[in-house]
């Protein structure tokens, strides 16, 4: 259904149980429900939020509009995990139910303080003239999942930004607590602001400066900024909406990018000697990535596998969006690598020598090797007419190409059906995770990543080798009891 503005911001209590049951049943009829990715029972899932470790468990919220495939009055849904693979919803929800978040609990982060989890997020408020007022606000969640809102604006909208000011990310740097917030300055250029918690108190924040990271100032908004540290090097991840393609070429409506610095100076808000701006993911859908440094020091990340302002075939089933696998971030030879956490191997139920298949359940992992000076053309989600998702791994010509034009229902055609990136002419590995309507492809254990959605026809379940050779293993995957 098409939602009016009034419907998008209707109070949760005003939606009938009959309506909820109707859309829930419609969602259940979808042929594209995933097996081992987090997706909503119904409605729209978007940004991952509050990714953290608390009370002995991994915590991951997702932003949620329960009433259909539309962006409206957002809440946060709480899930938890013991292995970073199996996430279970707990029933705890951060609702938009106060004057400081009346029009949506927008994105943010989380960190444990003492025996509570501090949730730091943007409260979206509209006044009677429909003017937006973004407030950076907080809440505390205890070990039983009870949430208590903090009745105070923690960071107000600065005088030098527009109402596009959101997505606070809290992090620890050398024993002090900092937060970065994405924004748009009065010249409508994307910026990131750095704040420090006074006396390590998450209720009191002081502005330090706009973050210095060789900002090209071509984006009009910086969404979902994250700063993590890998081998003591700062890695800044962010979504620069409107980034000039002359700065970095990309095909999606909005990109998810990163920069690696050599060090970080909190006093001057500087990413020192930042490297080039790079794409985080070369696929079709990867946005609003959230990353944090775990208590053991690892940098972990998870992404929204969808994009703003794009319609998806699942919309007619009253739902949209899912989250990526959790990935560990590492740096090798100055490059950022992303690869699923080790526990993902727990989903493997059997191993077979890789070969063509006329039929699968579209829930599997391929672990392949392609020799240097060679090329292989693979067809995933293949049908009898040799149509599907075409993957070309071509070390000989230094490229990888992915084309989804013949895979099921077409969508987002304004942004093309092909994605590619350069690869070196060397022995090349590919770990390919397929989950009904999701693909995540990791080249050379995460040197390059391609993520996205396809919506195959019922007969598109095979694997074909169109040309060349690849050796490896086919793993059946089983998530177990599905609760999300």
């Amino acid at each position: 259904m098409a939602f009016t503005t009034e419907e998008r911001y209707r109070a949760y209590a005003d939606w009938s149980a009959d309506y909820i049951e109707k859309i829930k049943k419609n969602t259940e009829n979808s042929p594209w429900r995933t097996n081992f990715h987090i997706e909503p029972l119904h409605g729209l899932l978007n940004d991952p939020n509050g990714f953290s470790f608390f009370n002995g468990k991994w915590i991951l919220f997702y932003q949620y509009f329960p009433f259909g495939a539309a962006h409206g009055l957002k809440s946060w849904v709480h899930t938890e995990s013991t292995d970073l693979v199996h996430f279970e919803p707990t029933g705890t929800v951060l609702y938009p139910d106060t004057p400081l978040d009346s029009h949506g609990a927008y994105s943010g982060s989380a960190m444990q303080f003492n025996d509570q989890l501090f949730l730091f997020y943007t409260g979206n408020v509209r006044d009677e003239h429909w003017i937006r007022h973004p407030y950076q606000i907080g809440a505390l969640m205890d070990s039983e999942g009870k949430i208590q809102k903090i009745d105070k604006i923690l960071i107000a909208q600065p005088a030098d930004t527009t109402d596009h000011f959101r997505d606070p990310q809290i992090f620890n740097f050398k024993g002090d607590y900092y937060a970065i917030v994405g924004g748009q300055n009065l010249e409508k250029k994307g910026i990131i602001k750095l704040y420090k918690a006074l006396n390590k108190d998450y209720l009191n924040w002081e502005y330090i400066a706009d973050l210095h990271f060789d900002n090209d100032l071509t984006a009009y908004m910086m969404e979902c900024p994250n700063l993590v540290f890998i081998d003591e090097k700062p890695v800044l991840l962010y979504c620069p909406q409107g980034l000039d393609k002359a700065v970095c070429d990309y095909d999606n409506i909005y990109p998810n990018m990163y920069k690696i610095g050599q060090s970080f100076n909190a006093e001057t808000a500087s990413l020192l000697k930042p490297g080039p701006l790079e794409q985080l993911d070369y696929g079709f859908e990867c946005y609003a990535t959230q990353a944090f440094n775990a208590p053991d020091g690892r940098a972990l990340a998870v992404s929204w596998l969808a994009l703003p302002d794009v319609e998806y075939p699942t919309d007619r089933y009253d739902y949209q969006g899912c989250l990526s696998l959790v990935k560990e971030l590492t740096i090798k030879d100055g490059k950022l690598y992303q690869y699923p956490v080790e526990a993902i191997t727990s989903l493997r139920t059997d191993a077979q020598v890789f070969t063509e298949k006329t039929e699968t359940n579209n829930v599997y992992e391929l672990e392949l090797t392609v020799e240097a000076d060679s090329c292989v053309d693979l067809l995933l989600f293949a049908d009898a007419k040799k149509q599907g998702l075409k993957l070309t791994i071509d070390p000989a010509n230094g490229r990888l190409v992915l084309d989804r034009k013949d895979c099921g229902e077409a969508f987002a055609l304004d942004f093309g059906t092909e994605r590619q990136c350069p690869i070196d002419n060397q022995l090349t590995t590919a770990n390919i995770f397929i989950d009904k309507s999701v693909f995540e492809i990791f080249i050379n254990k995460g040197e390059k990543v391609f993520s996205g959605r396809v919506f195959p026809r019922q007969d598109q379940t095979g694997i074909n080798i169109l040309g060349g050779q690849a050796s490896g293993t086919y793993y059946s995957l089983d998530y177990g009891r599905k609760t999300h």
Side-chain angles (χ1 to χ4, degrees):
M1 63 177 282
F3 287 79
T4 64
T5 298
E6 181 182 5
E7 287 168 333
R8 290 174 189 265
Y9 292 93
R10 180 184 296 168
Y12 280 35
D14 292 344
W15 294 88
S16 71
D18 288 344
Y19 175 82
I20 297 297
E21 186 62 25
K22 178 182 176 182
I23 65 171
K24 181 179 178 182
K25 288 183 177 179
N26 190 31
T27 298
E28 290 171 352
N29 289 329
S30 169
W32 301 305
R33 298 289 285 167
T34 67
N35 182 279
F36 57 92
H37 286 79
I38 293 175
E39 61 182 357
L41 286 173
H42 49 79
L44 183 137
L45 170 157
N46 59 311
D47 299 8
N49 290 154
F51 194 18
S52 54
F53 188 78
F54 171 62
N55 197 33
K57 294 182 179 179
W58 303 102
I59 303 300
L60 181 57
F61 291 84
Y62 60 81
Q63 205 174 28
Y64 186 45
F65 177 72
F67 309 111
H71 291 271
L73 186 60
K74 300 292 181 64
S75 56
W76 285 20
V77 172
H78 175 237
T79 73
E80 61 184 23
S81 173
T82 58
D83 64 359
L84 290 167
V85 173
H86 297 84
F87 283 88
E88 303 289 344
T90 66
T92 294
V93 177
L94 177 72
Y95 288 105
D97 56 4
T98 74
L100 296 182
D101 57 12
S102 59
H103 289 69
Y106 278 17
S107 289
S109 54
M111 180 175 287
Q112 181 170 349
F113 286 88
N114 299 318
D115 60 351
Q116 293 182 303
L117 187 67
F118 171 58
L119 309 179
F120 199 8
Y121 68 103
T122 301
N124 183 44
V125 175
R126 297 275 189 170
D127 64 21
E128 65 272 19
H129 304 295
W130 206 244
I131 296 172
R132 180 193 289 114
H133 301 277
Y135 302 129
Q136 312 314 312
I137 56 177
L140 294 169
M141 186 179 80
D142 65 20
S143 60
E144 302 300 316
K146 182 180 178 182
I147 292 177
Q148 181 68 43
K149 299 280 185 76
I150 296 168
D151 187 20
K152 172 184 176 180
I153 298 171
L154 302 182
I155 299 177
Q157 179 186 337
D160 61 350
T161 72
T162 70
D163 59 358
H164 290 288
F165 180 64
R166 55 184 175 267
D167 310 337
Q169 188 234 352
I170 185 171
F171 62 95
N172 184 316
F173 179 68
K174 295 185 176 180
D176 283 310
Y177 299 104
Y178 297 87
I180 51 175
V181 186
Q184 180 188 73
N185 66 22
L186 298 181
E187 289 72 46
K188 296 190 176 180
K189 302 295 184 181
I191 57 171
I192 298 171
K193 289 184 173 289
L194 178 68
Y195 295 82
K196 182 179 181 180
L198 289 171
N199 300 316
K200 303 181 182 181
D201 178 6
Y202 55 78
L203 296 178
N204 292 285
W205 296 87
E206 67 172 350
Y207 170 66
I208 296 178
D210 287 6
L211 191 66
H212 301 287
F213 57 101
D214 287 352
N215 185 359
D216 55 81
L217 293 175
T218 66
Y220 60 77
M221 174 60 191
M222 300 301 197
E223 288 200 312
C224 305
N226 287 253
L227 188 60
V228 293
F229 297 87
I230 304 173
D231 302 330
E232 299 187 354
K233 288 184 169 56
V235 181
L236 179 68
L237 301 90
Y238 59 104
C239 298
Q241 293 187 319
L243 177 73
D244 190 331
K245 293 185 179 182
V247 173
C248 187
D249 196 19
Y250 61 96
D251 293 308
N252 296 338
I253 182 172
Y254 305 122
N256 205 153
M257 313 295 288
Y258 74 88
K259 283 188 176 185
I260 300 174
Q262 292 305 303
S263 60
F264 178 63
N265 187 322
E267 294 181 359
T268 61
S270 299
L271 208 69
L272 301 176
K273 298 182 179 178
L277 185 62
E278 302 280 2
Q279 291 200 57
L280 188 67
D281 192 298
Y282 288 87
F284 298 90
E285 275 89 22
C286 177
Y287 197 74
T289 297
Q290 181 156 107
F292 83 107
N293 282 108
D296 61 10
R298 285 182 298 166
L300 302 172
V302 62
S303 305
W304 175 32
L305 296 187
L307 285 163
D309 306 324
V310 173
E311 296 178 352
Y312 288 85
T314 56
D315 291 5
R316 68 176 183 271
Y317 291 99
D318 294 309
Y319 79 106
Q320 186 190 117
C322 73
L323 298 185
S324 73
L325 300 174
V326 174
K327 298 156 282 191
E328 182 177 353
L329 308 181
T330 56
I331 296 175
K332 300 177 185 177
D333 300 324
K335 298 177 182 178
L336 185 69
Y337 280 66
Q338 311 163 66
Y339 197 72
V341 294
E342 178 63 26
I344 194 67
T345 60
S346 69
L347 303 187
R348 296 174 176 175
T349 59
D350 70 304
Q352 304 169 28
V353 173
F354 170 68
T355 186
E356 289 192 327
K357 289 182 176 292
T358 56
E359 184 178 349
T360 73
N361 65 353
N362 279 344
V363 181
Y364 59 84
E365 177 192 354
L366 297 178
E367 188 166 51
L368 305 179
T369 298
V370 180
E371 298 293 334
D373 297 313
S374 69
C375 174
V376 65
D377 286 318
L378 300 175
L379 198 64
L380 312 170
F381 301 98
D383 61 22
K385 296 181 180 179
K386 299 286 177 68
Q387 292 187 328
L389 178 67
K390 185 179 179 183
L391 173 63
T392 300
I393 304 173
D394 187 3
N397 290 295
R399 63 181 193 144
L400 186 146
V401 183
L402 188 66
D403 193 337
R404 68 179 179 187
K405 71 174 181 295
D406 293 325
C407 192
E409 293 199 18
F411 65 102
L413 292 178
D414 288 348
F415 307 102
T417 64
E418 184 180 288
R419 298 289 185 269
Q420 59 180 294
C421 78
I423 59 175
D424 292 332
N425 184 10
Q426 61 184 22
L427 185 143
T428 300
T429 65
N431 284 78
I432 301 167
F433 293 86
I434 300 297
D435 188 7
K436 295 296 188 180
S437 56
V438 173
F439 60 85
E440 295 188 66
I441 301 170
F442 299 89
I443 302 301
N444 296 330
K445 298 297 183 180
E447 179 185 3
K448 301 286 176 67
V449 183
F450 285 74
S451 305
R453 303 298 301 270
V454 289
F455 301 95
R457 299 188 308 272
Q458 189 173 1
D459 63 334
Q460 292 188 306
T461 66
I463 302 172
N464 289 162
I465 302 172
L466 301 178
Q469 288 186 327
S471 60
T473 307
Y474 171 97
Y475 296 99
S476 298
L477 302 180
D478 184 6
Y479 186 85
R481 185 169 62 92
K482 182 173 170 58
T483 59
H484 54 273

